[in-house]
Each structure stands twice: as structure tokens, then as C-alpha cells.
């Protein structure tokens, strides 16, 4: 089972989501992340994202930015996006209906599903990164439980 996290720049939200979800899943799951834009390809995550995750014992410093490509629809079983703009941008690249069905707004997985977004902390400060971490940590706990159950059921 392969899961892809997508945000705009692939240096703040999706690298954090990748690290957090990975920390909650056994090794038979693969988690990766990508960005809609190509601004930060090959760059490490934002220093504030690395620092915030490190504080919670998650190391994301080895990650490298990459851009989302339509071939990701073939590689991944589920694609979680952080906000509505990401959703439109990813769905726009879908080649067929099955591609579209893989894409979900990450907070739609909450026990009481919402259409809320994970706010972009890029222009914010370290506290905004901590807030994003807490939101992602909560939702990734729910997602990990679901994924593990889905795999057991088969
Ligand atoms: P992310 O945040 O989508 O959570 O990685 C951003 C990072 C960089 C930019 C925008 C959003 N940027 O415009 O460079």
C-alpha cells in the first residue's frame, strides 16, 4: 500500500505529513510526498518543518522536494492533499476516473469529516508549524488506523 501526501511547495506541510504518517505505520506501507509547484525541487524541507518534527522525534531532514507528476496516479493507492487548491491542481492532472478517486482532502478523513484545509505555514512563524504538526498528527492517527484495518480486511 502506497500513500502520497501533496501540498504546494513540498517543503512544509506534505513533508511533515509524510514523516508523521510513516511514524505511525508498519514497514509494509510506503509513504512519500510531492508538491504541485517546482519551486523547491531537490531542496530539503523548510528548516522550521524539520525543527518542529525533530521536537516530536520525527526526522524529516533527509527528504527532498519533488514535483507531482501524473505517473504518481499509477504509483500510489491514495493521494492526500492539504487544501482545496491542491485538490483542484491534482484532479486536473487526472487522466481517468480511477485517478480522481484516489485523491482526498486530508481532513475529510476526520471522524467528523470537514472540508477544512491544513493552512500553509510558509509565511507564518514556528508556532504555525507547531499548529500544523498537531493537526497532521491527529489526522494521521486516524488515517493510519484505517489503512491498517483496510489491509487486514484485504
Ligand atoms: P507547502 O508551503 O505547500 O506547505 O510546502 C509552501 C512552501 C513554499 C511556497 C508556498 C507554499 N512558495 O511559494 O515557495
Amino acid at each position: 500500500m502506497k500513500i502520497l501526501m501533496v501540498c504546494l511547495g513540498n517543503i512544509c506541510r506534505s513533508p511533515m505529513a509524510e514523516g508523521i504518517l510513516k511514524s505511525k505505520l508498519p514497514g509494509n506501507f510506503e509513504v512519500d510526498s510531492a508538491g504541485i509547484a517546482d519551486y523547491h525541487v531537490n531542496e530539503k524541507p523548510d528548516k522550521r518543518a524539520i525543527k518542529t518534527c525533530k521536537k516530536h522525534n520525527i526526522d524529516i531532514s533527509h527528504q527532498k522536494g519533488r514535483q507531482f507528476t501524473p505517473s504518481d496516479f499509477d504509483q500510489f493507492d491514495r493521494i492526500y492533499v492539504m487544501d482545496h487548491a491542491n485538490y483542484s491542481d491534482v484532479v486536473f492532472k487526472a487522466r481517468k476516473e480511477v485517478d480522481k478517486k484516489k485523491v482526498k482532502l486530508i481532513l475529510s478523513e476526520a471522524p467528523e469529516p470537514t472540508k477544512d484545509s491544513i493552512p500553509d505555514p510558509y509565511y507564518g512563524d514556528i508556532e504555525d508549524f507547531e499548529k500544523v504538526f498537531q493537526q497532521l498528527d491527529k489526522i494521521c492517527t486516524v488515517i493510519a488506523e484505517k489503512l491498517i484495518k483496510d489491509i487486514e480486511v484485504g
Side-chain angles (χ1 to χ4, degrees):
M1 175 77 93
K2 293 176 76 170
I3 299 103
L4 183 67
M5 299 293 191
V6 176
C7 64
L8 176 59
N10 193 212
I11 53 165
C12 301
R13 292 165 294 175
S14 62
M16 291 172 84
E18 174 188 334
I20 294 168
L21 185 62
K22 227 177 238 173
S23 76
K24 297 179 189 292
L25 288 172
N28 52 340
F29 287 89
E30 273 183 49
V31 189
D32 191 13
S33 66
I36 300 294
D38 64 357
Y39 320 137
H40 300 286
V41 169
N42 281 327
E43 286 178 24
K44 282 183 178 204
D46 185 284
K47 284 200 177 80
R48 297 162 296 175
I50 294 176
K51 192 173 171 185
T52 303
C53 284
K54 195 176 172 194
K55 194 175 127 194
H56 297 281
N57 293 315
I58 295 172
D59 180 12
I60 62 165
S61 62
H62 56 279
Q63 290 186 30
K64 268 199 178 158
R66 75 167 179 91
Q67 191 175 22
F68 179 84
T69 129
S71 66
D72 285 319
F73 287 117
D74 304 320
Q75 300 300 316
F76 292 90
D77 303 293
R78 313 241 169 120
I79 299 170
Y80 289 114
V81 298
M82 302 296 134
D83 63 33
H84 292 270
N86 305 154
Y87 184 87
S88 312
D89 289 336
V90 172
V91 164
F92 183 72
K93 292 180 201 273
R95 304 147 306 174
K96 46 194 182 200
E97 214 46 43
V98 282
D99 291 352
K100 285 187 194 168
K101 286 208 176 111
K102 294 184 176 182
V103 190
K104 277 190 166 186
L105 206 54
I106 193 165
L107 289 176
S108 71
E109 291 286 38
E112 285 167 27
T114 73
K115 289 190 173 173
D116 290 351
S117 296
I118 303 288
D120 189 348
Y122 187 61
Y123 295 104
D125 56 30
I126 193 77
E127 280 163 23
D128 297 302
F129 280 80
E130 178 62 27
K131 278 183 204 153
V132 164
F133 183 95
Q134 295 301 335
Q135 270 186 304
L136 288 173
D137 189 54
K138 242 192 210 166
I139 197 64
C140 286
T141 300
V142 176
I143 291 172
E145 279 169 7
K146 276 193 193 175
L147 289 171
I148 291 166
K149 244 185 225 159
D150 286 356
I151 276 231
E152 281 167 1
V153 174

